[in-house]
Amino acid sequence: MTAGPPPPRPSTARLSAPPVAARREAPRPRVVALSYWLWWVAALVAVVTVVLALTRIDAMQDELARIARESDPDATDDTVDRVVDLSVLVIIGGGILLGVVGAVLAVGMRAGRGWARVTLIALTLLAVAYALLVVSATGGLVLGYAAVTVVAAVCMYLPGGKRWFG
């Protein structure tokens, strides 16, 4: 006598998380919507900060060269130029990258993706570090960018939004 196929294994899905279809039918919590729009505001502020930095790029390069020469008086002009060019690339490229990545991840967070919410926390930490590092070169607007990302991150974890991420 042969036994039939083994019985199906019980599901390992979390019992507390509603099915994806049920989550989509439920209204999106206000704190999630607020966080989503704050991430877009942060992205806009990051881009505006970069544009303003580009309008005063000559002054920024002069200031960075002065700082580099003060840090290492024996540095050659070629070395100082390389440091300045790399610093400008980090300031401009970093601002654009942080803004774009934040906006893209906000779309995932709004859709209820838990990984996007966690990644946005890491992005918030990077945004604060970026702002503190480049505030002297870009101006105070970059601190506003960091502040908006912190508020957006806090909104994602307020009690009303927990059920959205299951």
Side-chain angles (χ1 to χ4, degrees):
M1 185 184 227
T2 61
R9 297 186 74 171
S11 173
T12 58
R14 292 186 347 190
L15 298 176
S16 62
V20 173
R23 259 197 326 228
R24 288 191 181 137
E25 292 173 9
R28 183 178 295 112
R30 287 184 182 198
V31 292
V32 172
L34 176 62
S35 179
Y36 171 78
W37 289 110
L38 286 172
W39 280 111
W40 277 95
V41 168
L44 179 64
V45 172
V47 170
V48 168
T49 300
V50 167
V51 168
L52 291 175
L54 286 172
T55 62
R56 48 185 226 99
I57 195 161
D58 292 335
M60 184 172 43
Q61 287 174 326
D62 292 342
E63 179 65 15
L64 291 169
R66 183 190 63 75
I67 292 170
R69 285 191 179 92
E70 284 179 5
S71 297
D72 186 5
D74 297 330
T76 64
D77 286 342
D78 187 47
T79 302
V80 170
D81 289 343
R82 287 182 187 178
V83 167
V84 168
D85 290 344
L86 182 61
S87 298
V88 169
L89 178 66
V90 167
I91 291 168
I92 303 301
I96 291 171
L97 184 66
L98 286 171
V100 169
V101 170
V104 169
L105 288 173
V107 173
M109 182 271 306
R110 183 178 188 216
R113 307 289 191 268
W115 60 265
R117 183 171 71 152
V118 171
T119 308
L120 282 167
I121 291 298
L123 188 79
T124 300
L125 297 174
L126 286 173
V128 170
Y130 170 79
L132 294 174
L133 289 172
V134 304
V135 67
S136 62
T138 59
L141 188 58
V142 74
L143 294 176
Y145 161 70
V148 173
T149 64
V150 168
V151 173
V154 168
C155 286
M156 293 186 304
Y157 283 90
L158 289 175
K162 184 176 182 179
R163 67 177 167 79
W164 186 251
F165 298 101

